[in-house]
Each structure stands twice: as C-alpha cells, then as structure tokens.
Amino acid sequence: MVPGEDEDRSAVPAGPFTPKQLARLDEALTLSSRETGVQFSLYVGALGATPRRTAEDLHAGLGAAANSVLVAVSPGERRLEIVTGEQTAKRLPDRSCALAALSMTSSLTGGDLVGGIVNGLRMLADQAGKPALAHH
Amino acid sequence: MTVVQTLLIYVGLPALGFAVMAVLVYAGGNGRSPRYRPGRDWNHEDVWYLPRPISSKAPAHSAPELTGGAAPAEGVRRTARGGASGTW
C-alpha cells in the first residue's frame, strides 16, 4: 500500500492509519527522502522472534538498499529497528540512529504511533544532512 | 421577566452549550479503529510505506522492487551495515 498512489477514496482499506495519518506519513517519508537524497522506507508490521534479522532481510529486499534507510516498527511486539545500508551508514552512524530510536520509543510509549514515526524520520533526515555535505 | 424566561436564559443556555460541547467531544474524532496503546494487540496486516520516487526518471506509480514476504531465501546478500533498535 503506497500512499502516494491514487487511491479510491471510497474504499480506504481497513489499515491501521486514517487518511490524514497516511498523508502525514507520506509527507514525512517523501520530504525526508527528497532533502537528503536517501531512500527512507517504513515498514509497520510484525518482526517475529528475531526482529533485527527480519528487519535486515527486509532491507535487503529494497530496490536501492545501499542508499536506503529502513524504519521498521512492530506495534504488536513493541519493537523498532532502524537499518542503514552501505552508503547511508556513513551518513547516519549508529549513534544517530540510536538517538532517533530513543526519540521514537518515547513517543510510542505514549501511544503516538504516527507522531513517533514522523519525528523519527525528521531526526534521521536532520542527522543525515544534505547530499552535498555528506562525507564520502 | 417571568420565571420561565429566567429559567430558559440562565439554565437552558448553559445546558445547551454543555450539550453542544459534549457532542463535539465524544462524536468527533476517529471512531473507526481504536487509538493505539502499547500492550494492545496489533491485528493489522504488515504494510510498507515508500516515498514517492526522487528521480524524475521513475514513473509516478512505480515502487522499488521488493521481494515478496519477509523471509527471502538463505544466501541473500546482506545489505545492512548499521542502525539501531528500540523497545517500548
């Protein structure tokens, strides 16, 4: 389900998010990706017994994995994973990811699913900076 | 003023305002799915959210290739280089 596509508004799927929330997520993902040149992807669903491994497998399935950052949130298991690829790991070191993860868990503890995700994406985008300033 | 008029103005109007507020508070908002609270079950399907393509070369409705399912075969190249985890 890609929010950017044209949806039949009369048949909004019974997903976890309202159209307004979907719009917020779509905007956050697209803006973050556009500002940084990094492909941010979001996965909301089960991560299973080995969440880190599952998240890394999901990241491997992305089209541009090396330049991607996956944010995987499992509300049922109360677990989130941030996975960076080869290029993005240089721009987003683990401590930047840890900062974003911490901010997200604070919001998520309070039940603010969409707000937590949006703030996490914004923090990651801020930490990643613009493409021209990236250290290669 | 008569008693009826007095009652209507000083009791009826505040009661009416109270009723309007109650309706706005409790009938407004999203009633379809309950708000997420930690500890509750999450019974929705797994969903992906992808940004709209950055490059102008990609058509508007394309999405990056995704392998179906969350468990690709063994031997898939490892692309993960870092990141973080969190629990709540």
Side-chain angles (χ1 to χ4, degrees), chain A residues 1 16-18 26 40 42-46 52 56-57 59-61 63 75 78 80-82 84 94 109 111 113, chain B residues 30 35-39 42 46-52 54 61 65-66 78-88:
Chain A
M1 192 176 94
F17 299 121
T18 65
D26 180 43
F40 284 94
L42 173 66
Y43 171 85
V44 179
R52 184 68 201 171
E56 292 184 348
D57 288 343
H59 183 269
R78 313 228 291 264
L80 75 92
E81 299 283 346
I82 302 175
T84 51
D94 289 356
T109 311
L113 202 47
Chain B
N30 179 27
R35 192 195 152 111
Y36 166 71
R37 288 269 175 259
W42 185 259
D46 304 341
V47 252
W48 277 96
Y49 298 100
L50 304 162
R52 278 169 263 150
I54 301 171
H61 297 300
E65 315 92 56
L66 293 170
R78 311 296 314 163
T79 56
R81 292 285 180 272
S85 309
T87 59
W88 69 91

Side-chain angles (χ1 to χ4, degrees), chain A residues 79-103:
Chain A
R79 178 88 187 203
L80 75 92
E81 299 283 346
I82 302 175
V83 185
T84 51
E86 189 167 341
Q87 294 168 16
T88 47
K90 294 177 195 154
R91 298 175 63 181
L92 279 171
D94 289 356
R95 63 175 180 279
S96 303
C97 299
L99 267 174
L102 189 59
S103 145

Side-chain angles (χ1 to χ4, degrees), chain A residues 51-135:
Chain A
R52 184 68 201 171
R53 173 84 194 202
T54 309
E56 292 184 348
D57 288 343
L58 290 170
H59 183 269
L62 290 170
N67 193 34
S68 291
V69 172
L70 170 66
V71 177
V73 179
S74 175
E77 293 147 342
R78 313 228 291 264
R79 178 88 187 203
L80 75 92
E81 299 283 346
I82 302 175
V83 185
T84 51
E86 189 167 341
Q87 294 168 16
T88 47
K90 294 177 195 154
R91 298 175 63 181
L92 279 171
D94 289 356
R95 63 175 180 279
S96 303
C97 299
L99 267 174
L102 189 59
S103 145
M104 288 177 75
T105 53
S106 311
S107 300
L108 291 163
T109 311
D112 189 6
L113 202 47
V114 176
I117 294 171
V118 166
N119 284 331
L121 287 170
R122 193 177 305 149
M123 279 191 70
L124 289 169
D126 285 345
Q127 299 273 326
K130 301 233 181 306
L133 297 176
H135 303 293

Side-chain angles (χ1 to χ4, degrees), chain B:
Chain B
M1 287 192 305
T2 67
V3 176
V4 174
Q5 274 179 329
T6 314
L7 272 179
L8 269 180
I9 292 172
Y10 288 103
V11 176
L13 275 182
L16 187 65
F18 196 68
V20 166
M21 291 301 156
V23 163
L24 286 175
V25 167
Y26 290 109
N30 179 27
R32 218 168 307 141
S33 52
R35 192 195 152 111
Y36 166 71
R37 288 269 175 259
R40 280 222 191 110
D41 287 339
W42 185 259
N43 295 320
H44 304 278
E45 276 182 17
D46 304 341
V47 252
W48 277 96
Y49 298 100
L50 304 162
R52 278 169 263 150
I54 301 171
S55 75
S56 53
K57 294 195 294 280
H61 297 300
S62 73
E65 315 92 56
L66 293 170
T67 59
E74 286 302 320
V76 69
R77 61 196 175 93
R78 311 296 314 163
T79 56
R81 292 285 180 272
S85 309
T87 59
W88 69 91

